Structure formats: structure tokens, C-alpha cells
Amino acid sequence: MNSYVGKKYHVVTYGCQMNVHESEKIRGILHSLGMEEIDNPETADVVVFNTCCIREGAEDRAYNNVMALKKVKEKNPSKVIVVCGCMPQQKNGKYDLKKRLPFVDIIIGTHNINALAQYLIELSKTKERVYDIIEKPIATMDPDYCIRDDKTNAYVNIIYGCNKFCTYCIVPYVRGREMSRTPEEIYKEVKDLVQNHGYKYITLLGQNVNSYGKDLKEKTSFSELLKNLCKIEGDFKIKFMTSHPMDFGDDLIKVMKEEHKVAKALHLPVQSGSSRILQRMNRHYDIKHYMSIIKKIKRAVPNIALSTDIIVGFPGETEKDFNQTMKLIKKVKYDQVFAFMYSKRTGTPAATFEDQVDEDIKNIRVNKLLRLQKIIQKEQLKKFIKKRFDCLIKHINGVAVGVTDGGREIYIPNYKYNNENYFTKVKVEDIRNHKLSGVIDE
Ligand code: 5AD
Ligand code: SF4
């Protein structure tokens, strides 16, 4: 028996869905040591901070929250604090964690989280602080450990790392090169989640899912993987993120059109509406190419829910470049836009570009863009009227609601809901106070 049996743990997560899913695996590892989860980091015996370094704000938040536990640790030296993930993996980051967090017991990076149980046991025996950052994965994390919070949507990793090296992005440096899981492994995991655990949505995860399979001995593609997964029997749908416009081929558009198990939603980050800026970002496509994908996908999958990521204030972005981004979002009419102010990441090429944009200007631009998107989203609601959507029926605050693949809620008044989640067609009848309502229309 290990010394952690019966102890309490708490996991704090920052960043993307990849990190959310990794934290589900971390929880599994802690359970396997005989521990139980609690909500309060102050009273937990083991607290794990799974960190993110995509932007400075994410780093600051994580660092400040770890610091907030310093006093608690001083009063209770047997409390174990772990900091892991992207922040420790980053070379020459803003915070020298080893030096600035001497009260933290275990600091590890992105490539050895799966060895957390060993690190914890080692610590309990030697009482010596662990600082171990390695350059390559020792093995990928075993999904069998996973403890998932969400009972409807399950995340499944299909590819780790990124080979793209966009000039602003730290991800390739902290997550390493692309590494696909085998189709067999993924198939087995998805089948189990759908058939034995009743998951309705499977979200396939990767920094760039369209690169899937290129690095495998038996080469395959993302569209092949999707087609295979759709053969799994059951009432479920597949989502995926994130896609890169450079690798987004017609084969994938065809699968999205033909397979009813592939959700009618697509997150396709554009990053900027200016081809000049896209080139400086090393994105390998221009706006003409991006718009051709949007046109094709809208034609193939009418009513698809589109979302995107945009970086505002990338070095050298002029008012003209920014206006091109504004023009683009007016043209595409996304259901959702995630807009970020450019954040300088040490070690990336763009951090050394001389024409950095003032923070004030970034601020003005990002707010302007978000205001425009809000207006577009409101206008877009009208387009839902009289349209039919395949929805997952749920119960929200006592009312039956159909949720579209894009996450839009359609209230279904007077509908008797039998407490089971299932997919069915819902027709939108009305909009009131920006809320949609409709009827079941099988
Ligand atoms: N500054 C601001 N946003 C960034 N992203 C990635 N790196 C940076 C950065 N240095 C954004 C991109 C990406 C999303 C996950 O985060 O838009 O698609
Ligand atoms: Fe970062 Fe670009 Fe890779 Fe996405 S594709 S993780 S933005 S380097």
C-alpha cells in the first residue's frame, strides 16, 4: 500500500481542451493511487496545477494561483504541490519556476505527466523535491486511466504535438513533434466510450487533426480515420479540433457532407484576414485559399456552425490589415469567434520582430472586432428560423432543449422529456430575447 491511499487531491487546469483532457488522465492517475477528489485546493493533500503558456495572461494566472498556496504549504509542509504541463516545459519562460517556486514539490513538463504516480511515490520515500523536464515523450498517456467529468462529450486524443511552427506560437516548442495514435487504438477507445459508457459526442483532439496519420508506419489520413469511426454502431456524433486550413482537403469536406455521424460544426482558425500577415505568421495559406474552403464547406454542409481563432495586433499589423480581418468576419459570418491580442512568446520568431504593436492599439482593435462579431451573431439568429437541425435533446432548468452541433440551444416548450439524451430533428419556430424555440420535427 502506498502512503497516498485515502488522501484528497485537487487538480487545477489552464488552457485548451488538450489540457482539460490531460487533467482527466491526471485525475485517473491520482485515483489509481487510492486518492479521492475534492473541490478545495487549500484542504487537499495533493494539488496539481496543469499549466498553459500560450499567452502571457495564462501564465500569470497559473503562477499567481500557485503562489497563493505558499502560505498554506508553510503551515502544512506535508501538503504536496505539483506544477506540470506547458509552463515548466517552456525554455526561458517569463518565470524561472525552479527558482521562484521552491515550495513546490514536483515540477515536470508535458512529456512525463504519465509518470506522475512514480514521482509522487518517490517523493513520499525520499522527501526530495522533484524537478524533471525531459525533451521527448517517454510514452503517451494511457487513456484507460481517464476520469471524465462530462457525461455527454468525451475527449479523445488522436495526435500529439505540432510541426507547423507558426511564428507566434509556443506550442511546437513545448509539445514536440507530431505523433499520431494508431487507428486501432483510437477505434477501440471510441467504441468503448459510445457502447459501454453512452457518450453522445466524441471530440477528437489534436493541435492539428488534419495532419493525422502522416507520421505512422502505415500512412493514413484524418478523413479515413473519420470514415472508420463512423462505422461504430450507436447513436453518437464526432466533433474534432483543431483544423489547419493548409491541410484541409476536399476528402474531409466529402466526409463531413456524407457521414451523418460527423457533427455539422467546424472550428477553422484563420488568425488574420490579411494575406500579408498570414505570410509573416508562416501559416502557409492566403485569404483566397481560406475563403475557397469556407465556400466549399458551406455549399457541401448547409447550416454548418463555423468558428475561428483570430490574433489581433500581430507584429506589423496595420490599420489596413486589421480592416481586412473585420471584412473577413463580416463575409464569413461565423457562429463564434475567439479573438486574442498577440502575446510575445520568448523563443518564437515573432517575438524578435521589430514592428511590435502597442498594447493600447491591440486593445482597441480586439474590442472593435468583438463588438462587430456580437452584431453579426445577433443577425445570424434570424437565419435559424424555419430550419431543421439534428439536435441532442437535453433537460435544462426543467425545460427540454435541443442542442445543435454548434452548441446553440433551441427551447422546446411543452415537450415531455424522458430523461435520456438522444438525437432528433428540431425545427426552429421563433426567436424571443435572442432565444430560439422550436418543435420536434422527426
Ligand atoms: N498570442 C496570442 N494568441 C495566440 N495563439 C497562439 N499563440 C498566440 C500568441 N502568441 C492563439 C491562436 C491559436 C489559439 C489556440 O491561440 O489563435 O489558434
Ligand atoms: Fe501553434 Fe500553428 Fe501549431 Fe496551431 S498549427 S499549435 S497555432 S504552431
Side-chain angles (χ1 to χ4, degrees), residues 11-30 48-52 84-86 109-114 116 137 139-143 145-148 155-157 159-161 174-175 205-207:
V11 180
V12 189
T13 310
Y14 303 89
C16 61
Q17 281 84 355
M18 209 79 133
N19 265 16
V20 170
H21 185 40
E22 246 148 44
S23 287
E24 293 177 336
K25 295 178 191 174
I26 290 171
R27 292 162 71 206
I29 291 174
L30 299 175
V48 180
F49 290 91
N50 188 13
T51 63
C52 166
C84 64
C86 294
T110 53
H111 296 314
N112 48 355
I113 298 180
N114 51 350
L116 182 59
T140 51
M141 287 247 261
D142 190 341
Y145 272 131
C146 241
I147 294 184
R148 292 178 165 91
Y155 291 125
V156 172
N157 280 123
I159 178 168
Y160 299 91
V174 294
R175 291 270 170 188
L205 292 180
Q207 307 297 345

Side-chain angles (χ1 to χ4, degrees), residues 54-55 168-170 269 271 309-311 340-345:
I54 194 99
R55 285 171 289 275
Y168 51 79
C169 188
I170 194 73
Q271 310 299 358
D309 291 343
I310 284 172
I311 297 179
F340 311 102
M341 292 197 284
Y342 169 72
S343 171
K344 219 169 159 178
R345 304 287 71 204

Side-chain angles (χ1 to χ4, degrees), residues 227-412:
K227 269 196 275 185
N228 256 327
L229 294 176
C230 286
K231 289 185 191 141
I232 294 172
E233 272 182 41
D235 183 32
F236 75 101
K237 287 200 203 173
I238 304 173
K239 292 185 178 183
F240 52 89
M241 67 189 320
T242 294
S243 292
H244 193 299
M246 173 191 164
D247 301 319
F248 201 94
D250 291 347
D251 54 332
L252 184 51
I253 295 180
K254 191 164 179 272
V255 175
M256 290 190 78
K257 177 188 164 98
E258 289 175 359
E259 296 285 353
H260 78 274
K261 282 181 179 159
V262 176
K264 306 305 173 218
L266 176 65
H267 183 64
L268 194 63
V270 65
Q271 310 299 358
S272 169
S274 154
S275 295
R276 192 182 75 85
I277 294 293
L278 289 174
Q279 197 175 15
R280 289 177 57 117
M281 286 176 162
N282 194 31
R283 290 288 290 177
H284 297 283
Y285 58 85
D286 58 14
I287 287 303
K288 201 169 150 215
H289 178 70
Y290 184 87
M291 283 311 296
S292 76
I293 302 174
I294 295 289
K295 217 165 138 184
K296 278 192 244 175
I297 193 84
K298 277 189 173 177
R299 198 181 312 137
V301 188
N303 302 324
I304 189 166
L306 291 172
S307 57
T308 199
D309 291 343
I310 284 172
I311 297 179
V312 170
F314 182 79
E317 186 191 73
T318 61
E319 208 55 33
K320 188 175 160 210
D321 296 312
F322 173 68
N323 284 334
Q324 287 176 343
T325 304
M326 296 283 276
K327 209 168 118 193
L328 178 101
I329 71 164
K330 267 192 225 160
K331 206 161 158 186
V332 177
K333 297 190 170 49
Y334 295 102
D335 288 74
Q336 224 174 341
V337 169
F338 301 91
F340 311 102
M341 292 197 284
Y342 169 72
S343 171
K344 219 169 159 178
R345 304 287 71 204
T346 310
T348 62
T352 63
F353 292 179
E354 278 173 7
D355 39 6
Q356 301 286 327
V357 175
D358 277 356
E359 289 301 306
D360 292 351
I361 295 180
K362 287 184 204 169
N363 223 317
I364 293 169
R365 287 183 187 166
V366 82
N367 286 321
K368 208 167 155 186
L369 190 136
L370 290 173
R371 269 200 306 275
L372 173 63
Q373 177 57 21
K374 217 170 161 185
I375 296 168
I376 295 171
Q377 252 163 257
K378 269 188 199 165
E379 278 173 7
Q380 281 295 95
L381 273 186
K382 286 184 211 137
K383 290 207 169 161
F384 281 80
I385 283 284
K386 300 291 172 210
K387 297 238 169 75
R388 282 167 90 230
F389 293 88
D390 196 31
C391 289
L392 185 67
I393 307 297
K394 282 183 174 179
H395 218 186
I396 302 180
N397 301 329
V399 185
V401 175
V403 185
T404 66
D405 288 344
R408 181 87 60 192
E409 291 170 353
I410 308 169
Y411 287 81
I412 316 168

Side-chain angles (χ1 to χ4, degrees), residues 148-165:
R148 292 178 165 91
D149 230 356
D150 196 321
K151 298 288 171 250
T152 312
N153 173 55
Y155 291 125
V156 172
N157 280 123
I158 62 164
I159 178 168
Y160 299 91
C162 180
N163 293 356
K164 287 280 183 282
F165 289 93

